[in-house]
Amino acid sequence: MATINGCNLPEDLYYFIEKHIWAKPMDGKVVRIGMTTVAGKLSGGKLNAVTVKRKKIGEEMPKGKSVATVESSKYVGPVPAPITGVLVNANDKLDNDPNLAISDPYGEGWIAEFEASKWDEEKADLLTGPDGLEKYKAKLEADNISCD
Amino acid sequence: MDEDKVMVIMTSGPDTPRRCATPFFMATLAAAMDYEVSMFFTIDGTLLLKKGLAETIYPKKGGKSVGEFLQEAMEAGVKMTACTASMELHDLTQEDLIDDVKMVGGASMWQMAEDCKTVLSF
């Protein structure tokens, strides 16, 4: 577990740092995604809704397409897919407690799961491990973002 | 009809601040859902596009100004269009409005609406 500019960012996750999204390979081809603590900070700290596009479950979504939206009193924005894949699951717990997505972002607050279409190819575009976090740190500093 | 297009019609203006946040919020949200979003301003809604005015209107005391809601919508890619007849109603010209607003007639509104999957009116 690494802490960068006060933001908790586990080293074993794969990050889409432009949009502050994490991805984690699960069993088989399944990849789970969620928001980073950085996204939680930027959203203002209290989410009113996290809405996954459930109508798209079973369909392939290209990398970069909006898979969900987050709403807070300060922010509204998309959760773009960090990889290409078939949307297979949405986290039902967020329906009753959307704030889980930022209060427990790497655990109970995951947002959706994909069956990755080309994980081996696309994971190269995501940042991971100590080297990846160094780059994430550079971005946070360039954008003047701190979770403290 | 295009499955990915939606439109928000805005008729409320500076006299009713509390009615002036949600339409922008909904438009920004639709853009975040990857819809192609247009807002059509008519009646008093058009006044919100007047340079510097939206920044002075607060739907909630201590909250964000309408100007901030408008800015977020534009940054999300929402296209702003103003009804020419409502500009006449308020004695406005294109120069009075913020940049990137397209002026269209009423018939264009109908054509835009026909192209949209959903039209939301405030």
Side-chain angles (χ1 to χ4, degrees):
Chain A
M1 196 70 86
T3 302
I4 294 170
N5 285 19
C7 306
N8 171 15
L9 296 161
E11 285 187 358
D12 62 332
L13 299 179
Y14 289 78
Y15 295 100
F16 180 26
I17 65 168
E18 289 79 9
K19 301 293 180 183
H20 305 295
I21 303 296
W22 58 263
K24 183 181 183 183
M26 309 295 283
D27 293 337
K29 285 184 172 178
V30 173
V31 173
R32 181 175 278 186
I33 71 158
M35 294 163 63
T36 68
T37 45
V38 182
K41 176 70 180 178
L42 295 176
S43 66
K46 174 80 176 76
L47 298 185
N48 296 327
V50 177
T51 313
V52 179
K53 284 185 175 169
R54 283 191 165 78
K55 275 178 77 176
K56 299 283 185 189
I57 287 178
E59 290 182 28
E60 186 176 77
M61 300 185 77
K63 177 182 168 178
K65 274 277 177 188
S66 171
V67 62
T69 47
V70 294
E71 300 169 50
S72 75
S73 59
K74 287 189 177 173
Y75 173 82
V76 54
V79 177
I83 54 161
T84 304
V86 176
L87 181 62
V88 290
N89 212 354
N91 185 359
D92 294 337
K93 287 186 180 167
L94 297 179
D95 295 349
N96 292 326
D97 187 2
N99 211 50
L100 264 183
I102 57 175
S103 64
D104 187 10
Y106 308 119
E108 296 284 297
W110 59 275
I111 292 175
E113 289 179 332
F114 287 90
E115 201 172 279
S117 304
K118 34 190 174 183
W119 172 250
D120 288 337
E121 180 187 328
E122 289 181 340
K123 74 177 178 185
D125 297 332
L126 305 173
L127 298 180
T128 190
D131 292 349
L133 289 183
E134 274 302 311
K135 289 179 184 157
Y136 206 160
K137 182 178 183 181
K139 177 174 171 55
L140 294 184
E141 285 175 356
D143 294 349
N144 202 17
I145 297 170
S146 165
C147 296
D148 291 330
Chain B
M1 186 185 75
D2 193 318
E3 281 295 311
D4 293 329
K5 280 189 184 173
V6 297
M7 175 173 162
V8 176
I9 299 179
M10 180 56 168
T11 62
S12 300
D15 290 346
T16 50
R18 281 197 297 180
R19 299 189 60 82
C20 293
T22 303
F24 292 105
F25 182 87
M26 291 309 240
T28 306
L29 189 52
M33 295 169 79
D34 284 341
Y35 285 115
E36 194 178 312
V37 192
S38 298
M39 287 187 80
F40 180 82
F41 294 80
T42 188
I43 314 178
D44 287 355
T46 311
L47 288 167
L48 299 176
L49 300 176
K50 200 174 163 185
K51 280 176 189 147
L53 188 67
E55 288 75 8
T56 65
I57 303 166
Y58 289 84
K60 185 182 176 185
K61 198 178 172 189
K64 291 197 296 194
S65 71
V66 175
E68 287 171 85
F69 282 100
L70 170 63
Q71 190 63 36
E72 282 169 5
M74 293 182 85
E75 283 171 8
V78 177
K79 290 180 194 142
M80 304 296 172
T81 53
C83 162
T84 48
S86 69
M87 293 187 58
E88 194 181 329
L89 172 70
H90 297 293
D91 294 321
L92 295 171
T93 64
Q94 177 91 54
E95 289 71 43
D96 295 320
L97 302 187
I98 57 171
D99 294 340
D100 299 325
V101 176
K102 189 178 171 191
M103 291 169 56
V104 298
S108 293
M109 187 281 293
W110 281 116
Q111 288 177 353
M112 285 165 65
E114 263 182 37
D115 284 343
C116 288
K117 177 191 174 112
T118 306
V119 177
L120 198 56
S121 182
F122 288 95

